Structures are given as C-alpha cells and as structure tokens.
Amino acid sequence: MNNGRVIDGILKINGEKVCHTAENANSALSPGTYNICIHYCKQHGRRMPMVEIEDCDLLKEDECSLCDQLEYVSPNTDLPSYCPMLKAGNGAYNRTDGSILLGESIAPGCLIHPQKHFKGVYDRIRKVLSRGNNVVLKIE
C-alpha cells in the first residue's frame, strides 16, 4: 500500500509471507530485482543486509567513507547517507536513508516487533550467502 508518504509491503521468501515491510515513499527503491549482500555498517556497528544498488565492495570503500559517524544510533535513527538496508525499526515516516523496515504492521508506516523479524530474516540471508548462493529482493 502506498499512501504517498509511506509504502507498506510484505516480505515473502519462496512465496511464503515472513513479515511486513515499511519504507518512506520519497526514498523507496524503484520496482525491480536487487541482490542482497551483507556489509559492515559503522553506524550500527555490525554487519547488515544491504540492498545492492552498486557492487558492495565498491560501496564499502567509497560510500561508507562519506557517511559521517553519528554520536548515537538506534534502530529508528535516520542515517546521514542514502544506504538501502533491511533493518529493524518502528516507523518509516521520517526515514530518508532508503531503509526497508521489517516487523508487524499496526498502521500505515508503523511496525511492531521489528527486532524479532529482523533477526529471523538476517539469519536466513546470512545462511544462504554463506552457502555461496545469491539472495535476491524483488520489489513489485
């Protein structure tokens, strides 16, 4: 659902619903097929599933150096640079960083239980990639 401000969706794996998604309509990715990689994010201080809009290796060197380190980062922090990632978070309205938030939808653009859903999706992505397979995100 797109209300002009946020886009709500459903994340499916092999046709099976896993969780809801929410994105800010102004920074959402265009419909298409994207590879997912896992990349270390200095803002979150951990490896995060990133939507490849460019080669992840190039991104590590070029884009991350331009991303000023924030003093405090929570799951709901809007990052200083556009960097589409799958992540935990409760609301998409103030996000301009390209985040695709995961959780259970309670209202347009608002999610609950994001950590639970992020952990499950992250573990599945990590396992598939560790086996040498690709992870593809299809946005319709």
Side-chain angles (χ1 to χ4, degrees):
M1 177 186 97
N2 181 347
N3 71 6
R5 295 182 62 205
V6 293
I7 299 172
D8 293 313
I10 296 174
L11 178 70
K12 297 179 181 178
I13 297 178
N14 296 327
E16 183 179 326
K17 178 185 166 192
V18 175
C19 65
H20 293 106
T21 64
E23 299 176 77
N24 184 303
N26 294 323
S27 62
L29 290 168
S30 301
T33 303
Y34 302 89
N35 287 324
I36 301 290
C37 63
I38 292 188
H39 171 68
Y40 181 80
C41 174
K42 69 182 179 184
Q43 301 293 352
H44 290 283
R46 61 167 290 170
R47 295 168 50 86
M48 297 289 289
M50 178 176 290
V51 180
E52 276 190 43
I53 50 176
E54 297 179 28
D55 180 15
C56 277
D57 290 333
L58 291 174
L59 186 67
K60 287 178 197 173
E61 296 169 11
D62 297 336
E63 298 296 323
C64 290
S65 64
L66 301 175
C67 190
D68 294 330
Q69 181 67 47
L70 299 172
E71 191 172 312
Y72 173 77
V73 176
S74 77
N76 294 309
T77 300
D78 190 36
L79 299 182
S81 298
Y82 183 79
C83 190
M85 288 187 237
L86 301 175
K87 58 177 65 169
N90 298 107
Y93 282 94
N94 295 321
R95 301 303 291 255
T96 59
D97 57 10
S99 297
I100 301 173
L101 305 179
L102 308 176
E104 292 175 35
S105 180
I106 57 169
C110 299
L111 303 168
I112 59 173
H113 308 300
Q115 291 293 343
K116 174 180 110 175
H117 292 285
F118 173 78
K119 182 179 178 344
V121 170
Y122 177 81
D123 287 345
R124 287 178 83 165
I125 291 170
R126 185 185 52 76
K127 286 177 187 175
V128 169
L129 292 174
S130 72
R131 294 177 181 141
N133 298 312
N134 292 330
V135 175
V136 176
L137 174 68
K138 183 177 180 183
I139 299 176
E140 300 179 313

Short mmCIF file of all heavy atoms in Angstrom, two decimals, residues 28-83:
data_model
loop_
_atom_site.label_atom_id
_atom_site.label_comp_id
_atom_site.label_asym_id
_atom_site.label_seq_id
_atom_site.Cartn_x
_atom_site.Cartn_y
_atom_site.Cartn_z
N ALA A 28 12.15 5.37 -1.31
CA ALA A 28 11.97 3.94 -1.61
C ALA A 28 12.66 3.56 -2.92
O ALA A 28 12.77 4.37 -3.84
CB ALA A 28 10.48 3.61 -1.70
N LEU A 29 13.10 2.32 -2.98
CA LEU A 29 13.68 1.80 -4.21
C LEU A 29 12.60 1.63 -5.26
O LEU A 29 11.44 1.35 -4.95
CB LEU A 29 14.34 0.45 -3.95
CG LEU A 29 15.60 0.47 -3.10
CD1 LEU A 29 15.97 -0.94 -2.68
CD2 LEU A 29 16.74 1.10 -3.86
N SER A 30 12.98 1.77 -6.51
CA SER A 30 12.06 1.55 -7.62
C SER A 30 11.77 0.06 -7.75
O SER A 30 12.59 -0.78 -7.37
CB SER A 30 12.69 2.04 -8.93
OG SER A 30 12.99 3.40 -8.84
N PRO A 31 10.59 -0.29 -8.30
CA PRO A 31 10.33 -1.70 -8.55
C PRO A 31 11.45 -2.31 -9.40
O PRO A 31 11.98 -1.65 -10.30
CB PRO A 31 9.00 -1.68 -9.32
CG PRO A 31 8.34 -0.42 -8.85
CD PRO A 31 9.47 0.56 -8.68
N GLY A 32 11.81 -3.53 -9.06
CA GLY A 32 12.88 -4.21 -9.77
C GLY A 32 13.43 -5.34 -8.94
O GLY A 32 12.90 -5.69 -7.89
N THR A 33 14.52 -5.91 -9.41
CA THR A 33 15.18 -7.03 -8.75
C THR A 33 16.55 -6.57 -8.30
O THR A 33 17.31 -6.00 -9.08
CB THR A 33 15.28 -8.23 -9.70
OG1 THR A 33 13.97 -8.57 -10.15
CG2 THR A 33 15.90 -9.43 -9.02
N TYR A 34 16.86 -6.82 -7.04
CA TYR A 34 18.12 -6.37 -6.43
C TYR A 34 18.77 -7.53 -5.69
O TYR A 34 18.09 -8.33 -5.05
CB TYR A 34 17.85 -5.25 -5.41
CG TYR A 34 17.16 -4.05 -5.99
CD1 TYR A 34 15.77 -3.98 -6.03
CD2 TYR A 34 17.89 -2.98 -6.47
CE1 TYR A 34 15.13 -2.86 -6.55
CE2 TYR A 34 17.26 -1.86 -6.99
CZ TYR A 34 15.88 -1.82 -7.03
OH TYR A 34 15.24 -0.71 -7.54
N ASN A 35 20.08 -7.60 -5.74
CA ASN A 35 20.82 -8.56 -4.93
C ASN A 35 20.96 -8.00 -3.52
O ASN A 35 21.01 -6.79 -3.32
CB ASN A 35 22.20 -8.83 -5.50
CG ASN A 35 22.15 -9.68 -6.74
OD1 ASN A 35 21.33 -10.57 -6.86
ND2 ASN A 35 23.02 -9.39 -7.70
N ILE A 36 21.05 -8.90 -2.56
CA ILE A 36 21.27 -8.53 -1.16
C ILE A 36 22.65 -9.04 -0.78
O ILE A 36 23.01 -10.18 -1.08
CB ILE A 36 20.23 -9.18 -0.23
CG1 ILE A 36 18.81 -8.77 -0.61
CG2 ILE A 36 20.52 -8.88 1.23
CD1 ILE A 36 18.46 -7.34 -0.32
N CYS A 37 23.44 -8.19 -0.15
CA CYS A 37 24.73 -8.60 0.39
C CYS A 37 24.73 -8.27 1.87
O CYS A 37 23.82 -7.61 2.37
CB CYS A 37 25.88 -7.90 -0.33
SG CYS A 37 25.91 -6.10 -0.14
N ILE A 38 25.72 -8.74 2.57
CA ILE A 38 25.86 -8.38 3.98
C ILE A 38 27.13 -7.54 4.07
O ILE A 38 28.18 -7.91 3.56
CB ILE A 38 25.92 -9.62 4.88
CG1 ILE A 38 24.55 -10.30 4.86
CG2 ILE A 38 26.32 -9.24 6.29
CD1 ILE A 38 24.37 -11.42 5.84
N HIS A 39 26.97 -6.39 4.70
CA HIS A 39 28.03 -5.39 4.71
C HIS A 39 28.15 -4.81 6.13
O HIS A 39 27.13 -4.60 6.79
CB HIS A 39 27.65 -4.31 3.70
CG HIS A 39 28.51 -3.10 3.74
ND1 HIS A 39 29.82 -3.10 3.36
CD2 HIS A 39 28.25 -1.82 4.12
CE1 HIS A 39 30.32 -1.89 3.48
NE2 HIS A 39 29.38 -1.10 3.96
N TYR A 40 29.36 -4.54 6.56
CA TYR A 40 29.55 -3.93 7.87
C TYR A 40 29.15 -2.46 7.82
O TYR A 40 29.64 -1.69 6.99
CB TYR A 40 31.01 -4.04 8.34
CG TYR A 40 31.20 -3.44 9.71
CD1 TYR A 40 30.86 -4.17 10.85
CD2 TYR A 40 31.68 -2.15 9.87
CE1 TYR A 40 31.01 -3.61 12.11
CE2 TYR A 40 31.83 -1.59 11.12
CZ TYR A 40 31.48 -2.33 12.23
OH TYR A 40 31.61 -1.77 13.48
N CYS A 41 28.24 -2.07 8.71
CA CYS A 41 27.80 -0.68 8.81
C CYS A 41 28.43 -0.07 10.06
O CYS A 41 28.17 -0.54 11.18
CB CYS A 41 26.28 -0.61 8.88
SG CYS A 41 25.65 1.07 9.16
N LYS A 42 29.25 0.96 9.88
CA LYS A 42 29.90 1.58 11.03
C LYS A 42 28.88 2.29 11.92
O LYS A 42 29.11 2.44 13.11
CB LYS A 42 31.01 2.52 10.59
CG LYS A 42 30.53 3.78 9.89
CD LYS A 42 31.70 4.63 9.45
CE LYS A 42 31.24 5.88 8.73
NZ LYS A 42 32.36 6.66 8.22
N GLN A 43 27.77 2.74 11.36
CA GLN A 43 26.75 3.41 12.18
C GLN A 43 26.11 2.45 13.17
O GLN A 43 25.94 2.76 14.34
CB GLN A 43 25.65 4.03 11.29
CG GLN A 43 26.16 5.04 10.31
CD GLN A 43 26.70 6.31 10.96
OE1 GLN A 43 26.59 6.55 12.15
NE2 GLN A 43 27.33 7.13 10.16
N HIS A 44 25.74 1.27 12.67
CA HIS A 44 25.11 0.26 13.53
C HIS A 44 26.13 -0.60 14.27
O HIS A 44 25.76 -1.32 15.19
CB HIS A 44 24.17 -0.62 12.71
CG HIS A 44 22.95 0.10 12.24
ND1 HIS A 44 21.89 0.38 13.07
CD2 HIS A 44 22.63 0.64 11.04
CE1 HIS A 44 20.95 1.04 12.39
NE2 HIS A 44 21.39 1.22 11.16
N GLY A 45 27.38 -0.52 13.84
CA GLY A 45 28.44 -1.29 14.50
C GLY A 45 28.28 -2.79 14.32
O GLY A 45 28.68 -3.56 15.19
N ARG A 46 27.73 -3.19 13.19
CA ARG A 46 27.52 -4.62 12.92
C ARG A 46 27.31 -4.82 11.43
O ARG A 46 27.16 -3.87 10.67
CB ARG A 46 26.32 -5.16 13.69
CG ARG A 46 25.00 -4.47 13.32
CD ARG A 46 23.79 -5.18 13.82
NE ARG A 46 23.64 -6.40 13.07
CZ ARG A 46 22.79 -7.36 13.36
NH1 ARG A 46 22.00 -7.24 14.39
NH2 ARG A 46 22.68 -8.45 12.64
N ARG A 47 27.28 -6.09 11.04
CA ARG A 47 27.00 -6.44 9.65
C ARG A 47 25.49 -6.35 9.42
O ARG A 47 24.72 -6.80 10.26
CB ARG A 47 27.54 -7.82 9.35
CG ARG A 47 29.07 -7.86 9.44
CD ARG A 47 29.67 -9.24 9.44
NE ARG A 47 29.21 -10.10 8.39
CZ ARG A 47 29.72 -10.18 7.15
NH1 ARG A 47 30.72 -9.39 6.83
NH2 ARG A 47 29.24 -11.02 6.27
N MET A 48 25.11 -5.75 8.29
CA MET A 48 23.70 -5.52 7.97
C MET A 48 23.41 -6.01 6.56
O MET A 48 24.26 -5.94 5.68
CB MET A 48 23.39 -4.02 8.05
CG MET A 48 23.57 -3.40 9.41
SD MET A 48 22.32 -3.92 10.58
CE MET A 48 20.88 -3.07 9.94
N PRO A 49 22.18 -6.49 6.32
CA PRO A 49 21.79 -6.87 4.96
C PRO A 49 21.52 -5.62 4.14
O PRO A 49 20.66 -4.81 4.48
CB PRO A 49 20.53 -7.72 5.16
CG PRO A 49 20.01 -7.35 6.50
CD PRO A 49 21.15 -6.82 7.31
N MET A 50 22.28 -5.46 3.09
CA MET A 50 22.22 -4.26 2.26
C MET A 50 21.67 -4.62 0.89
O MET A 50 22.03 -5.64 0.32
CB MET A 50 23.61 -3.67 2.12
CG MET A 50 23.69 -2.46 1.24
SD MET A 50 25.33 -1.79 1.25
CE MET A 50 25.37 -1.15 2.90
N VAL A 51 20.83 -3.75 0.37
CA VAL A 51 20.33 -3.90 -0.99
C VAL A 51 21.39 -3.35 -1.92
O VAL A 51 21.80 -2.20 -1.80
CB VAL A 51 19.00 -3.13 -1.16
CG1 VAL A 51 18.48 -3.30 -2.58
CG2 VAL A 51 17.97 -3.60 -0.15
N GLU A 52 21.86 -4.18 -2.84
CA GLU A 52 22.92 -3.77 -3.76
C GLU A 52 22.36 -2.88 -4.84
O GLU A 52 21.62 -3.33 -5.70
CB GLU A 52 23.56 -5.00 -4.42
CG GLU A 52 24.63 -5.64 -3.61
CD GLU A 52 25.40 -6.68 -4.41
OE1 GLU A 52 25.73 -6.44 -5.59
OE2 GLU A 52 25.66 -7.74 -3.85
N ILE A 53 22.69 -1.60 -4.76
CA ILE A 53 22.39 -0.70 -5.85
C ILE A 53 23.66 -0.47 -6.66
O ILE A 53 23.62 0.04 -7.75
CB ILE A 53 21.77 0.63 -5.36
CG1 ILE A 53 22.60 1.24 -4.25
CG2 ILE A 53 20.35 0.40 -4.91
CD1 ILE A 53 22.12 2.58 -3.77
N GLU A 54 24.77 -0.87 -6.08
CA GLU A 54 26.08 -0.92 -6.73
C GLU A 54 26.79 -2.12 -6.13
O GLU A 54 26.32 -2.74 -5.20
CB GLU A 54 26.88 0.35 -6.44
CG GLU A 54 26.26 1.61 -7.00
CD GLU A 54 27.09 2.83 -6.66
OE1 GLU A 54 28.30 2.71 -6.49
OE2 GLU A 54 26.49 3.91 -6.59
N ASP A 55 27.95 -2.43 -6.63
CA ASP A 55 28.74 -3.52 -6.09
C ASP A 55 29.08 -3.24 -4.62
O ASP A 55 29.54 -2.16 -4.28
CB ASP A 55 30.03 -3.66 -6.91
CG ASP A 55 30.93 -4.78 -6.43
OD1 ASP A 55 30.47 -5.63 -5.67
OD2 ASP A 55 32.10 -4.79 -6.84
N CYS A 56 28.81 -4.19 -3.75
CA CYS A 56 29.05 -3.99 -2.31
C CYS A 56 30.50 -3.66 -2.00
O CYS A 56 30.77 -2.88 -1.10
CB CYS A 56 28.63 -5.23 -1.52
SG CYS A 56 26.87 -5.30 -1.17
N ASP A 57 31.45 -4.22 -2.74
CA ASP A 57 32.85 -3.92 -2.47
C ASP A 57 33.17 -2.47 -2.77
O ASP A 57 33.91 -1.82 -2.05
CB ASP A 57 33.76 -4.84 -3.28
CG ASP A 57 33.72 -6.27 -2.77
OD1 ASP A 57 33.43 -6.47 -1.57
OD2 ASP A 57 33.94 -7.20 -3.58
N LEU A 58 32.59 -1.93 -3.84
CA LEU A 58 32.80 -0.51 -4.14
C LEU A 58 32.16 0.35 -3.07
O LEU A 58 32.70 1.36 -2.66
CB LEU A 58 32.20 -0.16 -5.51
CG LEU A 58 32.90 -0.75 -6.72
CD1 LEU A 58 32.10 -0.43 -7.99
CD2 LEU A 58 34.31 -0.21 -6.84
N LEU A 59 31.00 -0.06 -2.62
CA LEU A 59 30.28 0.71 -1.61
C LEU A 59 31.10 0.81 -0.33
O LEU A 59 31.18 1.87 0.28
CB LEU A 59 28.93 0.07 -1.34
CG LEU A 59 28.01 0.84 -0.43
CD1 LEU A 59 27.58 2.13 -1.10
CD2 LEU A 59 26.81 0.02 -0.07
N LYS A 60 31.71 -0.27 0.07
CA LYS A 60 32.50 -0.27 1.30
C LYS A 60 33.56 0.83 1.27
O LYS A 60 33.76 1.52 2.24
CB LYS A 60 33.18 -1.62 1.49
CG LYS A 60 32.26 -2.73 1.89
CD LYS A 60 33.05 -4.01 2.00
CE LYS A 60 32.13 -5.20 2.00
NZ LYS A 60 32.85 -6.45 1.95
N GLU A 61 34.22 0.96 0.14
CA GLU A 61 35.34 1.90 0.06
C GLU A 61 34.87 3.33 -0.19
O GLU A 61 35.40 4.27 0.39
CB GLU A 61 36.28 1.47 -1.06
CG GLU A 61 36.92 0.12 -0.79
CD GLU A 61 37.63 -0.43 -2.01
OE1 GLU A 61 37.81 0.31 -2.99
OE2 GLU A 61 38.01 -1.61 -1.98
N ASP A 62 33.89 3.51 -1.05
CA ASP A 62 33.52 4.86 -1.47
C ASP A 62 32.44 5.49 -0.59
O ASP A 62 32.65 6.54 -0.01
CB ASP A 62 33.02 4.83 -2.92
CG ASP A 62 34.11 4.38 -3.88
OD1 ASP A 62 35.30 4.53 -3.55
OD2 ASP A 62 33.77 3.87 -4.96
N GLU A 63 31.31 4.88 -0.51
CA GLU A 63 30.16 5.48 0.16
C GLU A 63 30.33 5.54 1.68
O GLU A 63 29.97 6.55 2.30
CB GLU A 63 28.87 4.73 -0.18
CG GLU A 63 28.53 4.76 -1.65
CD GLU A 63 28.25 6.17 -2.17
OE1 GLU A 63 27.64 6.97 -1.44
OE2 GLU A 63 28.63 6.45 -3.32
N CYS A 64 30.83 4.50 2.28
CA CYS A 64 30.93 4.48 3.74
C CYS A 64 31.88 5.56 4.26
O CYS A 64 31.67 6.09 5.35
CB CYS A 64 31.34 3.11 4.24
SG CYS A 64 30.03 1.90 4.03
N SER A 65 32.89 5.90 3.49
CA SER A 65 33.81 6.95 3.93
C SER A 65 33.14 8.32 3.94
O SER A 65 33.58 9.22 4.63
CB SER A 65 35.05 6.97 3.04
OG SER A 65 34.70 7.33 1.71
N LEU A 66 32.04 8.47 3.19
CA LEU A 66 31.31 9.73 3.14
C LEU A 66 30.24 9.83 4.22
O LEU A 66 29.64 10.89 4.41
CB LEU A 66 30.65 9.90 1.77
CG LEU A 66 31.59 9.89 0.57
CD1 LEU A 66 30.79 9.94 -0.72
CD2 LEU A 66 32.57 11.04 0.65
N CYS A 67 29.98 8.75 4.90
CA CYS A 67 28.92 8.70 5.91
C CYS A 67 29.50 9.12 7.27
O CYS A 67 30.23 8.37 7.90
CB CYS A 67 28.34 7.28 5.99
SG CYS A 67 26.85 7.14 6.98
N ASP A 68 29.18 10.33 7.69
CA ASP A 68 29.70 10.84 8.96
C ASP A 68 29.18 10.01 10.13
O ASP A 68 27.99 9.70 10.20
CB ASP A 68 29.27 12.30 9.16
CG ASP A 68 29.92 13.23 8.14
OD1 ASP A 68 31.03 12.93 7.69
OD2 ASP A 68 29.28 14.25 7.81
N GLN A 69 30.09 9.65 11.03
CA GLN A 69 29.72 8.85 12.19
C GLN A 69 28.80 9.66 13.11
O GLN A 69 29.13 10.77 13.51
CB GLN A 69 30.97 8.41 12.97
CG GLN A 69 30.67 7.55 14.18
CD GLN A 69 30.09 6.20 13.81
OE1 GLN A 69 30.60 5.53 12.93
NE2 GLN A 69 29.03 5.81 14.47
N LEU A 70 27.66 9.07 13.43
CA LEU A 70 26.73 9.70 14.36
C LEU A 70 27.12 9.37 15.79
O LEU A 70 27.70 8.31 16.05
CB LEU A 70 25.30 9.22 14.08
CG LEU A 70 24.75 9.55 12.70
CD1 LEU A 70 23.41 8.86 12.49
CD2 LEU A 70 24.63 11.05 12.51
N GLU A 71 26.79 10.24 16.71
CA GLU A 71 27.12 10.02 18.11
C GLU A 71 26.27 8.90 18.71
O GLU A 71 26.75 8.10 19.50
CB GLU A 71 26.91 11.31 18.89
CG GLU A 71 27.46 11.27 20.29
CD GLU A 71 27.40 12.62 20.96
OE1 GLU A 71 27.82 13.61 20.32
OE2 GLU A 71 26.94 12.68 22.10
N TYR A 72 24.99 8.86 18.34
CA TYR A 72 24.07 7.85 18.87
C TYR A 72 23.24 7.29 17.73
O TYR A 72 22.68 8.04 16.92
CB TYR A 72 23.15 8.46 19.93
CG TYR A 72 22.08 7.51 20.40
CD1 TYR A 72 22.38 6.48 21.29
CD2 TYR A 72 20.78 7.62 19.94
CE1 TYR A 72 21.41 5.59 21.71
CE2 TYR A 72 19.80 6.73 20.36
CZ TYR A 72 20.12 5.73 21.24
OH TYR A 72 19.16 4.84 21.65
N VAL A 73 23.14 5.96 17.64
CA VAL A 73 22.37 5.31 16.60
C VAL A 73 21.46 4.27 17.24
O VAL A 73 21.92 3.42 18.00
CB VAL A 73 23.28 4.63 15.55
CG1 VAL A 73 22.46 3.87 14.52
CG2 VAL A 73 24.15 5.67 14.87
N SER A 74 20.18 4.36 16.93
CA SER A 74 19.20 3.37 17.38
C SER A 74 18.57 2.76 16.13
O SER A 74 18.82 3.24 15.02
CB SER A 74 18.12 4.04 18.24
OG SER A 74 17.20 4.74 17.42
N PRO A 75 17.74 1.74 16.28
CA PRO A 75 17.08 1.19 15.09
C PRO A 75 16.22 2.22 14.34
O PRO A 75 15.95 2.05 13.16
CB PRO A 75 16.21 0.07 15.66
CG PRO A 75 16.90 -0.34 16.90
CD PRO A 75 17.47 0.93 17.47
N ASN A 76 15.82 3.29 15.00
CA ASN A 76 14.97 4.29 14.37
C ASN A 76 15.72 5.52 13.91
O ASN A 76 15.11 6.50 13.48
CB ASN A 76 13.84 4.68 15.32
CG ASN A 76 12.92 3.52 15.56
OD1 ASN A 76 12.44 2.90 14.62
ND2 ASN A 76 12.68 3.20 16.82
N THR A 77 17.05 5.50 13.96
CA THR A 77 17.86 6.64 13.52
C THR A 77 17.91 6.70 12.00
O THR A 77 18.18 5.69 11.33
CB THR A 77 19.29 6.52 14.08
OG1 THR A 77 19.23 6.50 15.50
CG2 THR A 77 20.16 7.68 13.63
N ASP A 78 17.66 7.89 11.45
CA ASP A 78 17.81 8.14 10.03
C ASP A 78 19.30 8.35 9.76
O ASP A 78 19.91 9.26 10.33
CB ASP A 78 17.00 9.38 9.65
CG ASP A 78 16.91 9.60 8.16
OD1 ASP A 78 16.82 8.60 7.42
OD2 ASP A 78 16.89 10.77 7.74
N LEU A 79 19.91 7.51 8.94
CA LEU A 79 21.34 7.61 8.67
C LEU A 79 21.65 8.84 7.82
O LEU A 79 20.80 9.31 7.07
CB LEU A 79 21.83 6.34 7.99
CG LEU A 79 21.66 5.05 8.79
CD1 LEU A 79 22.23 3.87 8.01
CD2 LEU A 79 22.30 5.15 10.15
N PRO A 80 22.89 9.36 7.91
CA PRO A 80 23.24 10.60 7.19
C PRO A 80 23.35 10.44 5.68
O PRO A 80 23.33 11.42 4.95
CB PRO A 80 24.57 11.01 7.80
CG PRO A 80 25.11 9.81 8.47
CD PRO A 80 23.96 8.93 8.80
N SER A 81 23.50 9.21 5.19
CA SER A 81 23.63 8.97 3.75
C SER A 81 22.57 7.98 3.29
O SER A 81 22.12 7.14 4.08
CB SER A 81 25.01 8.39 3.42
OG SER A 81 26.02 9.30 3.77
N TYR A 82 22.22 8.04 2.02
CA TYR A 82 21.30 7.08 1.43
C TYR A 82 21.98 5.73 1.37
O TYR A 82 23.05 5.60 0.77
CB TYR A 82 20.88 7.54 0.04
CG TYR A 82 19.86 6.62 -0.61
CD1 TYR A 82 18.53 6.70 -0.25
CD2 TYR A 82 20.24 5.69 -1.55
CE1 TYR A 82 17.58 5.87 -0.82
CE2 TYR A 82 19.31 4.85 -2.14
CZ TYR A 82 17.99 4.94 -1.77
OH TYR A 82 17.06 4.12 -2.34
N CYS A 83 21.40 4.75 2.01
CA CYS A 83 22.02 3.43 2.11
C CYS A 83 20.91 2.40 2.34
O CYS A 83 20.57 2.10 3.48
CB CYS A 83 23.02 3.43 3.26
SG CYS A 83 24.04 1.96 3.33
#
